[in-house]
Amino acid sequence: MNHILGEMTSEESHKAIEEADFIVLATGSVEQHSLHLPLLVDTIRAEEITSRLVESSGSLKFLVLPTLPYGYSEHHIHYPGTITLKADTYQKVLEDIAWSLKQHGAKRLLIINYHGGNTEPIKLAANKIQREIGLKVYAVNWTQFGRDLIVEWAKSEDWGHACEHETSMM
């Protein structure tokens, strides 16, 4: 079964959306990552790690949406190349995506976040989506899954933006 919505025809997507256990939306950003990493670090990670997650999902049926490359990155706007959405715009984009999915029979939306700035707007959107749209939303920051392994590898709790952990992933 193809797990990628964007590679399907409209007809194929109809059945896939209705049958999916989870519709997956990976979220990234376009922002500076120091002098040595590309602007799309979070988005590249989002696509790669989400792809690996879906491939190893066993019996769960995941349908992966195109990665949302733009995030909430106002805290990096002074760095050239950073492109940010305002927090309320970002939240509304998530709500509109969820509304569209609900119209096509989606049951659950899994948002996997790969950029720290997106966390709060995602929480707000998830609550509103569940209340007003009636779509179950599960919002997860990717580091929740591997934090213990990252800390072990980095030999420190002090890791994050453009550190050797992100550099090695790229």
Side-chain angles (χ1 to χ4, degrees), residues 26-118:
T27 63
S29 67
V30 179
E31 65 173 20
Q32 68 81 28
H33 278 80
S34 192
L35 301 175
H36 64 292
L37 293 173
L39 296 167
L40 284 178
V41 164
D42 296 337
T43 303
I44 292 167
R45 271 192 324 204
E47 290 180 352
E48 181 64 27
I49 295 172
T50 300
S51 174
R52 289 179 186 217
L53 171 71
V54 169
E55 288 171 7
S56 65
S57 65
S59 62
L60 284 175
K61 292 181 183 175
F62 287 117
L63 181 61
V64 180
L65 300 175
T67 299
L68 182 58
Y70 300 105
Y72 176 56
S73 299
E74 285 187 350
H75 52 292
H76 290 291
I77 196 61
H78 298 292
Y79 294 98
T82 296
I83 299 175
T84 185
L85 299 176
K86 302 286 186 181
D88 57 339
T89 302
Y90 186 76
Q91 180 181 335
K92 185 66 175 151
V93 166
L94 295 174
E95 292 166 14
D96 287 352
I97 290 169
W99 179 85
S100 296
L101 292 168
K102 182 70 174 177
Q103 302 312 299
H104 300 300
K107 298 178 286 291
R108 292 176 207 90
L109 175 61
L110 171 61
I111 302 172
I112 307 177
N113 181 31
Y114 293 84
H115 169 62
N118 296 341

Coordinates of all heavy atoms in Angstrom, one line a residue, residues 26-118:
A26 N 3.7 15.8 9.2 CA 5.0 16.2 9.8 C 5.2 17.7 9.6 O 4.8 18.2 8.6 CB 6.1 15.4 9.1
T27 N 5.7 18.3 10.6 CA 5.9 19.8 10.6 C 7.3 20.2 10.7 O 8.0 19.7 11.6 CB 5.0 20.5 11.6 OG1 5.5 20.1 12.9 CG2 3.6 20.2 11.5
G28 N 7.8 21.1 9.9 CA 9.2 21.5 10.0 C 9.3 23.0 10.1 O 8.4 23.7 10.7
S29 N 10.3 23.6 9.5 CA 10.5 25.0 9.5 C 11.5 25.4 8.4 O 12.2 24.5 7.9 CB 11.0 25.6 10.8 OG 12.3 25.1 11.1
V30 N 11.6 26.7 8.1 CA 12.6 27.3 7.2 C 13.3 28.3 8.0 O 12.7 29.4 8.2 CB 12.0 27.9 5.9 CG1 13.1 28.5 5.0 CG2 11.2 26.8 5.2
E31 N 14.4 28.0 8.6 CA 15.1 29.0 9.5 C 16.6 28.6 9.5 O 17.0 27.5 9.2 CB 14.5 28.9 10.9 CG 14.8 27.5 11.5 CD 14.3 27.5 13.0 OE1 13.5 28.3 13.4 OE2 14.8 26.6 13.7
Q32 N 17.3 29.6 10.0 CA 18.8 29.4 10.2 C 19.1 28.3 11.1 O 18.4 28.1 12.1 CB 19.4 30.7 10.6 CG 19.1 31.2 12.0 CD 19.9 30.5 13.1 OE1 21.0 30.1 12.9 NE2 19.3 30.4 14.3
H33 N 20.1 27.6 10.8 CA 20.7 26.6 11.7 C 22.2 26.8 11.7 O 22.9 26.0 11.2 CB 20.3 25.1 11.2 CG 19.0 24.7 11.7 ND1 17.8 25.1 11.0 CD2 18.6 24.0 12.7 CE1 16.8 24.6 11.6 NE2 17.2 23.9 12.7
S34 N 22.6 27.9 12.3 CA 24.0 28.3 12.4 C 24.5 28.5 11.0 O 23.8 28.7 10.0 CB 24.8 27.3 13.2 OG 26.1 27.8 13.5
L35 N 25.9 28.5 10.9 CA 26.5 28.8 9.6 C 26.7 27.6 8.7 O 27.1 27.7 7.6 CB 27.9 29.5 9.9 CG 27.8 30.8 10.7 CD1 29.2 31.3 11.0 CD2 27.0 31.9 9.9
H36 N 26.6 26.4 9.3 CA 27.0 25.2 8.6 C 25.8 24.3 8.2 O 26.1 23.3 7.5 CB 27.9 24.4 9.5 CG 27.3 23.9 10.8 ND1 26.9 24.7 11.8 CD2 27.0 22.6 11.2 CE1 26.4 24.0 12.8 NE2 26.4 22.7 12.4
L37 N 24.6 24.6 8.5 CA 23.5 23.7 8.2 C 22.5 24.4 7.3 O 22.3 25.7 7.4 CB 22.8 23.2 9.4 CG 23.6 22.3 10.3 CD1 22.9 22.0 11.6 CD2 23.9 21.0 9.6
P38 N 21.7 23.7 6.5 CA 20.8 24.3 5.6 C 19.5 24.8 6.3 O 19.3 24.4 7.5 CB 20.4 23.2 4.6 CG 20.7 22.0 5.3 CD 21.8 22.3 6.2
L39 N 18.8 25.7 5.7 CA 17.6 26.3 6.3 C 16.5 25.3 6.6 O 15.7 25.4 7.4 CB 17.1 27.4 5.4 CG 18.0 28.6 5.2 CD1 17.4 29.5 4.1 CD2 18.0 29.4 6.5
L40 N 16.5 24.2 5.8 CA 15.5 23.2 5.9 C 15.8 22.0 6.8 O 15.2 20.9 6.7 CB 15.2 22.6 4.5 CG 14.3 23.5 3.6 CD1 14.1 22.9 2.2 CD2 13.0 23.8 4.2
V41 N 16.7 22.2 7.8 CA 17.1 21.1 8.7 C 15.8 20.4 9.3 O 15.7 19.2 9.2 CB 18.0 21.6 9.8 CG1 18.1 20.6 10.9 CG2 19.4 21.8 9.3
D42 N 14.9 21.2 9.9 CA 13.8 20.6 10.5 C 12.9 19.9 9.5 O 12.3 18.9 9.8 CB 13.0 21.7 11.3 CG 13.8 22.3 12.4 OD1 14.8 21.6 12.9 OD2 13.5 23.4 12.9
T43 N 12.7 20.5 8.4 CA 11.8 19.9 7.3 C 12.4 18.6 6.8 O 11.7 17.6 6.6 CB 11.6 20.9 6.2 OG1 11.0 22.1 6.9 CG2 10.6 20.4 5.2
I44 N 13.7 18.6 6.5 CA 14.4 17.4 6.0 C 14.3 16.3 7.1 O 14.0 15.1 6.7 CB 15.9 17.7 5.7 CG1 16.0 18.6 4.5 CG2 16.7 16.4 5.5 CD1 17.4 19.2 4.3
R45 N 14.6 16.6 8.3 CA 14.4 15.6 9.4 C 13.0 15.1 9.4 O 12.7 13.9 9.6 CB 14.8 16.2 10.7 CG 16.2 16.1 11.1 CD 16.3 16.5 12.6 NE 15.4 17.5 13.0 CZ 15.6 18.3 14.0 NH1 16.7 18.2 14.7 NH2 14.7 19.2 14.3
A46 N 12.0 16.0 9.3 CA 10.6 15.6 9.4 C 10.3 14.6 8.3 O 9.6 13.6 8.6 CB 9.7 16.9 9.2
E47 N 10.7 14.8 7.1 CA 10.4 13.9 6.1 C 11.1 12.5 6.3 O 10.5 11.5 6.1 CB 10.8 14.5 4.7 CG 9.8 15.6 4.4 CD 10.1 16.3 3.0 OE1 11.1 16.0 2.4 OE2 9.3 17.1 2.6
E48 N 12.4 12.6 6.6 CA 13.2 11.3 6.8 C 12.7 10.5 8.0 O 12.4 9.3 7.8 CB 14.6 11.7 7.0 CG 15.5 10.5 7.1 CD 15.6 9.5 5.9 OE1 15.3 10.0 4.8 OE2 15.8 8.3 6.1
I49 N 12.5 11.1 9.1 CA 12.1 10.3 10.3 C 10.7 9.8 10.2 O 10.4 8.7 10.6 CB 12.4 11.1 11.6 CG1 13.9 11.4 11.8 CG2 11.8 10.4 12.8 CD1 14.2 12.4 12.9
T50 N 9.8 10.7 9.7 CA 8.4 10.3 9.5 C 8.3 9.1 8.5 O 7.6 8.1 8.7 CB 7.5 11.4 9.0 OG1 7.6 12.5 10.0 CG2 6.1 11.0 8.8
S51 N 9.1 9.1 7.4 CA 9.1 8.0 6.5 C 9.6 6.7 7.2 O 9.0 5.7 7.0 CB 10.1 8.4 5.3 OG 10.2 7.3 4.5
R52 N 10.6 6.8 8.0 CA 11.1 5.6 8.7 C 10.0 5.1 9.7 O 9.8 3.9 9.8 CB 12.4 5.9 9.4 CG 13.5 6.1 8.4 CD 14.8 6.4 9.1 NE 15.8 6.7 8.2 CZ 17.1 6.4 8.3 NH1 17.5 5.7 9.4 NH2 18.0 6.7 7.4
L53 N 9.3 6.0 10.4 CA 8.3 5.6 11.3 C 7.2 4.9 10.6 O 6.8 3.8 11.0 CB 7.7 6.9 12.0 CG 6.5 6.7 12.8 CD1 6.8 5.9 14.1 CD2 5.8 8.0 13.1
V54 N 6.7 5.4 9.5 CA 5.7 4.8 8.7 C 6.1 3.4 8.2 O 5.3 2.4 8.2 CB 5.2 5.7 7.6 CG1 4.2 5.0 6.6 CG2 4.5 6.9 8.2
E55 N 7.3 3.3 7.7 CA 7.8 2.0 7.1 C 7.9 0.9 8.2 O 7.8 -0.2 7.9 CB 9.2 2.2 6.5 CG 9.1 3.0 5.2 CD 10.5 3.4 4.7 OE1 11.5 3.0 5.2 OE2 10.5 4.1 3.7
S56 N 8.1 1.3 9.4 CA 8.2 0.3 10.5 C 6.9 0.2 11.4 O 7.0 -0.3 12.5 CB 9.4 0.7 11.4 OG 9.2 1.9 12.0
S57 N 5.8 0.7 10.8 CA 4.6 0.8 11.6 C 3.8 -0.5 11.9 O 2.9 -0.6 12.6 CB 3.6 1.8 11.0 OG 3.2 1.3 9.7
G58 N 4.3 -1.6 11.2 CA 3.6 -2.9 11.4 C 2.2 -2.8 10.8 O 2.0 -2.5 9.7
S59 N 1.2 -3.2 11.7 CA -0.2 -3.3 11.1 C -0.9 -2.0 11.1 O -2.0 -2.0 10.5 CB -0.9 -4.4 12.0 OG -1.0 -3.9 13.3
L60 N -0.4 -1.0 11.7 CA -1.1 0.3 11.6 C -1.1 0.9 10.2 O -0.1 0.8 9.5 CB -0.5 1.3 12.6 CG -0.8 1.2 14.1 CD1 0.1 2.2 14.9 CD2 -2.2 1.4 14.3
K61 N -2.2 1.5 9.8 CA -2.2 2.1 8.5 C -2.0 3.6 8.6 O -2.9 4.3 9.2 CB -3.6 1.8 7.8 CG -3.8 0.4 7.5 CD -5.1 0.2 6.8 CE -5.3 -1.3 6.5 NZ -6.7 -1.5 6.0
F62 N -0.9 4.1 8.2 CA -0.6 5.5 8.2 C -0.7 6.1 6.8 O -0.3 5.4 5.8 CB 0.9 5.8 8.7 CG 1.1 5.6 10.1 CD1 2.0 4.6 10.6 CD2 0.5 6.4 11.1 CE1 2.2 4.4 11.9 CE2 0.7 6.2 12.4 CZ 1.6 5.2 12.9
L63 N -1.3 7.2 6.7 CA -1.3 8.0 5.4 C -0.6 9.3 5.6 O -1.0 10.1 6.5 CB -2.7 8.2 4.9 CG -2.9 8.9 3.6 CD1 -2.2 8.1 2.5 CD2 -4.3 9.2 3.3
V64 N 0.5 9.5 4.9 CA 1.4 10.7 5.2 C 1.0 11.8 4.2 O 1.1 11.7 3.0 CB 2.9 10.3 5.0 CG1 3.8 11.5 5.3 CG2 3.2 9.1 6.0
L65 N 0.7 13.0 4.8 CA 0.5 14.2 4.1 C 1.8 14.8 3.7 O 2.9 14.5 4.3 CB -0.2 15.2 4.9 CG -1.6 14.8 5.5 CD1 -2.1 15.9 6.4 CD2 -2.6 14.5 4.3
P66 N 1.8 15.7 2.7 CA 3.1 16.4 2.4 C 3.5 17.2 3.7 O 2.7 17.7 4.4 CB 2.7 17.4 1.3 CG 1.5 16.7 0.6 CD 0.8 16.0 1.7
T67 N 4.8 17.2 3.9 CA 5.3 17.9 5.1 C 5.0 19.3 5.0 O 5.2 20.0 4.0 CB 6.9 17.6 5.2 OG1 7.1 16.2 5.3 CG2 7.5 18.4 6.4
L68 N 4.6 19.9 6.2 CA 4.4 21.4 6.2 C 5.8 22.0 6.5 O 6.3 21.9 7.6 CB 3.4 21.7 7.4 CG 3.0 23.1 7.5 CD1 2.4 23.7 6.3 CD2 2.1 23.3 8.7
P69 N 6.4 22.6 5.5 CA 7.7 23.1 5.6 C 7.8 24.4 6.4 O 8.9 24.8 6.9 CB 8.2 23.3 4.2 CG 7.0 23.6 3.4 CD 5.9 22.8 4.1
Y70 N 6.8 25.2 6.4 CA 6.8 26.5 7.1 C 6.3 26.3 8.5 O 5.4 25.6 8.8 CB 6.0 27.6 6.4 CG 6.5 27.8 5.0 CD1 5.8 27.3 3.9 CD2 7.7 28.5 4.7 CE1 6.3 27.4 2.6 CE2 8.1 28.6 3.5 CZ 7.4 28.1 2.4 OH 7.9 28.3 1.1
G71 N 7.0 27.0 9.4 CA 6.6 26.9 10.8 C 6.6 28.3 11.5 O 6.6 29.3 10.8
Y72 N 6.5 28.3 12.8 CA 6.4 29.5 13.6 C 7.9 29.7 14.1 O 8.3 29.0 15.0 CB 5.4 29.3 14.7 CG 5.4 30.5 15.6 CD1 5.2 31.8 15.1 CD2 5.7 30.4 17.0 CE1 5.2 32.9 16.0 CE2 5.7 31.5 17.8 CZ 5.4 32.7 17.3 OH 5.4 33.8 18.1
S73 N 8.6 30.7 13.4 CA 10.0 30.9 13.7 C 10.3 32.4 13.9 O 11.4 32.8 13.5 CB 10.8 30.4 12.6 OG 10.7 29.0 12.4
E74 N 9.4 33.2 14.5 CA 9.6 34.6 14.6 C 10.9 34.9 15.4 O 11.6 35.9 15.2 CB 8.5 35.3 15.3 CG 7.3 35.5 14.4 CD 6.2 36.3 15.0 OE1 6.2 36.6 16.2 OE2 5.3 36.7 14.2
H75 N 11.3 33.9 16.3 CA 12.5 34.1 17.1 C 13.8 34.0 16.3 O 14.9 34.4 16.8 CB 12.5 33.1 18.2 CG 12.4 31.7 17.8 ND1 11.2 31.2 17.3 CD2 13.2 30.6 17.8 CE1 11.3 29.9 17.0 NE2 12.5 29.6 17.3
H76 N 13.7 33.6 15.0 CA 14.8 33.6 14.1 C 14.7 34.6 13.0 O 15.6 34.5 12.1 CB 15.0 32.1 13.6 CG 15.4 31.1 14.6 ND1 16.7 31.1 15.1 CD2 14.8 30.1 15.1 CE1 16.8 30.1 16.0 NE2 15.6 29.5 16.0
I77 N 13.8 35.4 13.0 CA 13.5 36.2 11.8 C 14.6 37.2 11.5 O 14.8 37.6 10.3 CB 12.2 37.0 12.0 CG1 11.7 37.6 10.6 CG2 12.3 38.1 13.0 CD1 11.4 36.5 9.6
H78 N 15.5 37.5 12.4 CA 16.6 38.4 12.1 C 17.7 37.7 11.4 O 18.7 38.4 10.9 CB 17.1 39.0 13.4 CG 16.1 39.9 14.1 ND1 15.7 41.0 13.6 CD2 15.4 39.7 15.3 CE1 14.7 41.6 14.4 NE2 14.6 40.8 15.4
Y79 N 17.6 36.4 11.2 CA 18.6 35.7 10.4 C 18.2 35.6 9.0 O 17.0 35.1 8.7 CB 18.9 34.3 11.0 CG 19.5 34.3 12.4 CD1 18.7 34.2 13.5 CD2 20.8 34.5 12.5 CE1 19.2 34.2 14.8 CE2 21.4 34.5 13.8 CZ 20.6 34.4 14.9 OH 21.1 34.4 16.2
P80 N 19.0 35.9 8.0 CA 18.6 35.8 6.6 C 18.1 34.4 6.2 O 18.7 33.4 6.6 CB 19.9 36.2 5.8 CG 20.7 37.0 6.8 CD 20.4 36.4 8.2
G81 N 17.1 34.4 5.4 CA 16.6 33.1 4.9 C 15.4 32.6 5.7 O 14.7 31.7 5.3
T82 N 15.3 33.0 7.0 CA 14.2 32.5 7.8 C 12.9 33.0 7.2 O 12.7 34.2 6.9 CB 14.4 33.0 9.3 OG1 15.6 32.5 9.8 CG2 13.2 32.6 10.1
I83 N 12.0 32.0 7.1 CA 10.6 32.4 6.7 C 9.7 31.8 7.7 O 9.7 30.6 8.0 CB 10.3 31.7 5.3 CG1 11.2 32.3 4.2 CG2 8.8 32.0 4.9 CD1 11.1 31.7 2.9
T84 N 8.9 32.7 8.3 CA 8.0 32.3 9.4 C 6.5 32.6 9.1 O 6.3 33.6 8.4 CB 8.4 32.9 10.7 OG1 7.6 32.4 11.8 CG2 8.3 34.5 10.7
L85 N 5.7 31.8 9.6 CA 4.3 32.2 9.7 C 4.0 32.8 11.1 O 4.7 32.4 12.0 CB 3.4 30.9 9.5 CG 3.5 30.2 8.2 CD1 2.6 28.9 8.2 CD2 3.2 31.1 7.0
K86 N 3.1 33.7 11.2 CA 2.7 34.2 12.5 C 2.0 33.0 13.2 O 1.4 32.1 12.6 CB 1.7 35.3 12.4 CG 2.2 36.5 11.6 CD 3.2 37.3 12.4 CE 3.6 38.5 11.6 NZ 4.6 39.3 12.3
A87 N 2.0 33.1 14.6 CA 1.5 32.0 15.4 C 0.0 31.7 15.0 O -0.4 30.5 14.9 CB 1.6 32.2 16.8
D88 N -0.8 32.7 14.9 CA -2.2 32.5 14.6 C -2.4 32.0 13.2 O -3.3 31.2 12.9 CB -3.0 33.8 14.8 CG -2.6 35.0 14.1 OD1 -1.4 35.0 13.6 OD2 -3.4 35.9 13.9
T89 N -1.6 32.4 12.2 CA -1.7 31.9 10.9 C -1.3 30.4 10.8 O -2.0 29.6 10.2 CB -0.7 32.6 9.9 OG1 -1.0 34.0 9.9 CG2 -0.8 32.1 8.5
Y90 N -0.2 30.0 11.5 CA 0.2 28.7 11.6 C -0.9 27.8 12.2 O -1.3 26.7 11.7 CB 1.5 28.6 12.4 CG 2.1 27.2 12.4 CD1 2.8 26.7 11.3 CD2 1.9 26.4 13.5 CE1 3.3 25.4 11.3 CE2 2.5 25.1 13.5 CZ 3.2 24.6 12.4 OH 3.7 23.4 12.4
Q91 N -1.5 28.3 13.3 CA -2.6 27.5 13.9 C -3.7 27.3 13.0 O -4.3 26.3 12.8 CB -3.1 28.3 15.2 CG -4.2 27.6 15.9 CD -4.7 28.4 17.1 OE1 -3.9 29.1 17.7 NE2 -5.9 28.1 17.5
K92 N -4.1 28.4 12.2 CA -5.2 28.3 11.3 C -4.9 27.4 10.1 O -5.8 26.7 9.7 CB -5.5 29.7 10.8 CG -6.7 29.8 9.9 CD -8.0 29.5 10.6 CE -9.2 29.7 9.7 NZ -10.3 28.8 10.0
V93 N -3.7 27.3 9.7 CA -3.3 26.4 8.6 C -3.5 25.0 9.1 O -4.1 24.1 8.3 CB -1.8 26.6 8.2 CG1 -1.3 25.4 7.3 CG2 -1.6 27.9 7.4
L94 N -3.1 24.7 10.3 CA -3.4 23.3 10.8 C -4.9 23.0 10.9 O -5.3 21.9 10.6 CB -2.7 23.2 12.2 CG -1.2 23.3 12.2 CD1 -0.7 23.3 13.7 CD2 -0.5 22.1 11.4
E95 N -5.6 24.0 11.4 CA -7.1 23.8 11.5 C -7.7 23.6 10.1 O -8.6 22.7 10.0 CB -7.7 25.0 12.2 CG -7.3 25.2 13.6 CD -7.7 26.5 14.2 OE1 -8.5 27.3 13.5 OE2 -7.2 26.9 15.3
D96 N -7.2 24.3 9.1 CA -7.8 24.1 7.8 C -7.4 22.8 7.2 O -8.2 22.1 6.5 CB -7.3 25.3 6.8 CG -8.0 26.6 7.1 OD1 -8.9 26.6 8.0 OD2 -7.6 27.6 6.6
I97 N -6.2 22.3 7.4 CA -5.8 21.0 7.0 C -6.7 19.9 7.6 O -7.2 19.0 6.9 CB -4.3 20.7 7.3 CG1 -3.4 21.6 6.4 CG2 -4.0 19.2 7.1 CD1 -2.0 21.6 6.8
A98 N -6.9 20.0 8.9 CA -7.8 19.1 9.6 C -9.2 19.1 9.1 O -9.8 18.1 8.9 CB -7.7 19.4 11.1
W99 N -9.7 20.3 8.9 CA -11.1 20.4 8.4 C -11.2 19.7 7.0 O -12.2 19.0 6.8 CB -11.5 21.9 8.2 CG -12.8 22.1 7.7 CD1 -14.0 22.1 8.4 CD2 -13.2 22.3 6.3 NE1 -15.1 22.3 7.6 CE2 -14.6 22.4 6.3 CE3 -12.5 22.4 5.1 CZ2 -15.3 22.6 5.1 CZ3 -13.2 22.5 3.9 CH2 -14.6 22.7 3.9
S100 N -10.2 19.9 6.2 CA -10.2 19.3 4.8 C -10.2 17.7 5.0 O -11.0 17.0 4.3 CB -9.0 19.7 4.0 OG -9.0 21.0 3.7
L101 N -9.4 17.2 5.9 CA -9.3 15.8 6.1 C -10.6 15.2 6.6 O -11.1 14.2 6.2 CB -8.2 15.5 7.1 CG -6.8 15.7 6.6 CD1 -5.7 15.7 7.7 CD2 -6.4 14.8 5.4
K102 N -11.2 16.0 7.6 CA -12.5 15.5 8.1 C -13.6 15.4 7.0 O -14.4 14.5 7.0 CB -12.9 16.5 9.2 CG -14.2 16.1 9.9 CD -14.1 14.9 10.8 CE -15.4 14.7 11.6 NZ -15.3 13.5 12.4
Q103 N -13.6 16.3 6.1 CA -14.5 16.3 5.0 C -14.4 15.0 4.1 O -15.3 14.6 3.5 CB -14.4 17.5 4.1 CG -14.5 18.9 4.7 CD -15.7 18.9 5.6 OE1 -16.8 18.8 5.2 NE2 -15.5 19.2 6.9
H104 N -13.2 14.4 4.2 CA -12.9 13.2 3.4 C -13.0 11.9 4.2 O -12.6 10.9 3.7 CB -11.6 13.4 2.6 CG -11.6 14.5 1.7 ND1 -12.4 14.7 0.6 CD2 -10.8 15.6 1.7 CE1 -12.2 15.8 0.0 NE2 -11.2 16.4 0.6
G105 N -13.4 12.0 5.4 CA -13.6 10.8 6.2 C -12.5 10.4 7.2 O -12.5 9.3 7.7
A106 N -11.5 11.3 7.4 CA -10.4 11.0 8.3 C -10.9 10.8 9.7 O -11.9 11.5 10.1 CB -9.3 12.1 8.2
K107 N -10.3 9.9 10.4 CA -10.7 9.7 11.8 C -9.7 10.3 12.8 O -10.1 10.7 13.9 CB -10.8 8.2 12.1 CG -11.9 7.5 11.2 CD -11.9 6.0 11.5 CE -10.8 5.2 10.9 NZ -10.7 5.1 9.4
R108 N -8.4 10.2 12.5 CA -7.4 10.6 13.5 C -6.3 11.3 12.7 O -5.8 10.9 11.7 CB -6.8 9.4 14.2 CG -7.7 8.8 15.1 CD -7.0 7.5 15.7 NE -7.9 6.5 16.1 CZ -8.4 5.6 15.3 NH1 -7.9 5.4 14.1 NH2 -9.3 4.7 15.8
L109 N -5.8 12.4 13.3 CA -4.6 13.2 12.8 C -3.5 13.1 13.8 O -3.7 13.4 14.9 CB -5.0 14.6 12.5 CG -3.9 15.6 12.1 CD1 -3.4 15.1 10.7 CD2 -4.5 17.0 12.0
L110 N -2.4 12.6 13.3 CA -1.1 12.6 14.1 C -0.2 13.7 13.5 O 0.2 13.6 12.4 CB -0.5 11.2 13.9 CG 0.9 11.1 14.5 CD1 0.9 11.3 16.0 CD2 1.5 9.7 14.2
I111 N 0.0 14.7 14.4 CA 1.0 15.8 14.0 C 2.3 15.5 14.7 O 2.3 15.4 15.9 CB 0.4 17.1 14.4 CG1 -0.9 17.4 13.8 CG2 1.5 18.2 14.1 CD1 -1.6 18.7 14.3
I112 N 3.3 15.3 13.9 CA 4.6 15.0 14.4 C 5.5 16.3 14.2 O 5.7 16.6 13.0 CB 5.3 13.8 13.8 CG1 4.4 12.6 13.9 CG2 6.7 13.5 14.5 CD1 5.0 11.3 13.2
N113 N 5.8 16.9 15.2 CA 6.5 18.2 15.2 C 8.0 18.1 15.3 O 8.5 17.4 16.1 CB 6.0 19.1 16.3 CG 6.7 20.5 16.3 OD1 7.0 21.0 15.2 ND2 6.9 21.0 17.4
Y114 N 8.7 18.7 14.4 CA 10.2 18.7 14.3 C 10.8 20.0 14.5 O 12.0 20.2 14.3 CB 10.6 18.1 13.0 CG 10.2 16.6 12.8 CD1 9.0 16.3 12.3 CD2 11.1 15.6 13.1 CE1 8.6 15.0 12.2 CE2 10.8 14.3 13.0 CZ 9.5 14.0 12.5 OH 9.1 12.6 12.4
H115 N 10.0 21.0 15.0 CA 10.6 22.3 15.3 C 10.0 22.9 16.6 O 8.7 23.0 16.7 CB 10.3 23.3 14.1 CG 10.5 24.7 14.4 ND1 11.8 25.2 14.7 CD2 9.7 25.8 14.4 CE1 11.7 26.5 14.9 NE2 10.5 26.9 14.7
G116 N 10.8 23.2 17.5 CA 10.4 23.7 18.8 C 9.4 24.9 18.8 O 8.4 24.9 19.6
G117 N 9.6 25.8 17.9 CA 8.7 27.0 17.8 C 7.3 26.6 17.5 O 6.3 27.4 17.8
N118 N 7.0 25.5 16.9 CA 5.7 25.1 16.5 C 4.9 24.5 17.6 O 3.6 24.4 17.5 CB 5.8 24.0 15.4 CG 6.4 24.5 14.1 OD1 6.5 25.7 13.8 ND2 6.8 23.5 13.3

